[in-house]
Amino acid sequence: MLYTVGEMAKELGIPASTLRYYDQEGLLPFLERSSSGMRMFTDADYETLMVIGYLKKSGLSIKEIKAFISMAAVGDASIEKRLALFQGRRVAVQEQIRGLQETLSLLEYKCWYYETARKVGTEDAVRNLPDDSIPEKYRDAKCRLNISHPRT
């Protein structure tokens, strides 16, 4: 089945202008065109566009994604390079997730902190709590807020 720019954009949940931009940047060398020159996408293009989207979300630049597309066009001779690219992205995303988990734990601690302060009517009551009075799941986050906390 063939899809127009608008139809494929709707399927992907992105603006049609993004697909046009990808084409202008050379990310879609496989793209078919109708006899009138309209960009036409196939079912197979959907997977490639999804991969492009995820590579972008993982932090790759358009230039780096274009290099991946070029590698893919080479075929089997570039399998090692493409594998290395995805392995590198996996490590980078795992690091991002760890950082986001740390951020989330701090946000959860601060929510507990302010909810508790609201209940008792003053922040002083929470600020001065000994560590063993703070729920265990929030202690590490509180500790990270202390400048004397050893950095790992």
Side-chain angles (χ1 to χ4, degrees):
M1 185 168 171
L2 292 176
Y3 302 87
T4 65
V5 168
E7 291 167 338
M8 184 57 75
K10 185 176 178 183
E11 287 293 323
L12 294 166
I14 62 175
S17 59
T18 299
L19 292 176
R20 290 186 193 96
Y21 174 71
Y22 288 173
D23 186 30
Q24 291 167 352
E25 291 298 313
L27 300 183
L28 309 175
F30 52 81
L31 195 59
E32 294 182 27
R33 294 206 180 247
S34 70
S35 58
S36 62
M38 283 182 42
R39 295 171 180 95
M40 300 303 293
F41 297 87
T42 65
D43 290 334
D45 297 337
Y46 178 82
E47 180 180 349
T48 301
L49 289 163
M50 289 294 291
V51 170
I52 289 170
Y54 284 118
L55 287 174
K56 191 168 181 276
K57 286 178 187 178
S58 80
L60 282 189
S61 68
I62 295 297
K63 182 179 177 180
E64 291 167 317
I65 296 170
K66 186 175 180 178
F68 164 73
I69 297 296
S70 295
M71 282 186 256
V74 169
D76 290 347
S78 69
I79 287 174
E80 287 297 323
K81 288 181 180 179
R82 287 182 281 157
L83 173 60
L85 173 86
F86 278 88
Q87 289 171 332
R89 291 305 349 143
R90 178 176 58 193
V91 169
V93 169
Q94 287 168 337
E95 290 171 6
Q96 290 170 351
I97 289 169
R98 277 191 291 278
L100 287 171
Q101 286 172 329
E102 188 172 301
T103 299
L104 179 60
S105 74
L106 179 79
L107 294 171
E108 288 173 340
Y109 164 70
K110 291 306 257 181
C111 286
W112 170 84
Y113 177 96
Y114 289 115
E115 287 166 358
T116 304
R118 181 180 62 191
K119 284 178 192 171
V120 297
T122 179
E123 195 175 341
D124 288 339
V126 184
R127 184 182 301 120
N128 299 322
L129 281 175
D131 286 349
D132 62 352
S133 296
I134 295 170
E136 189 174 342
K137 64 182 177 180
Y138 302 127
R139 290 179 193 161
D140 186 55
K142 180 188 181 288
C143 185
R144 283 195 310 272
L145 293 174
N146 184 332
I147 195 165
S148 64
H149 170 70
R151 306 290 191 267
T152 55

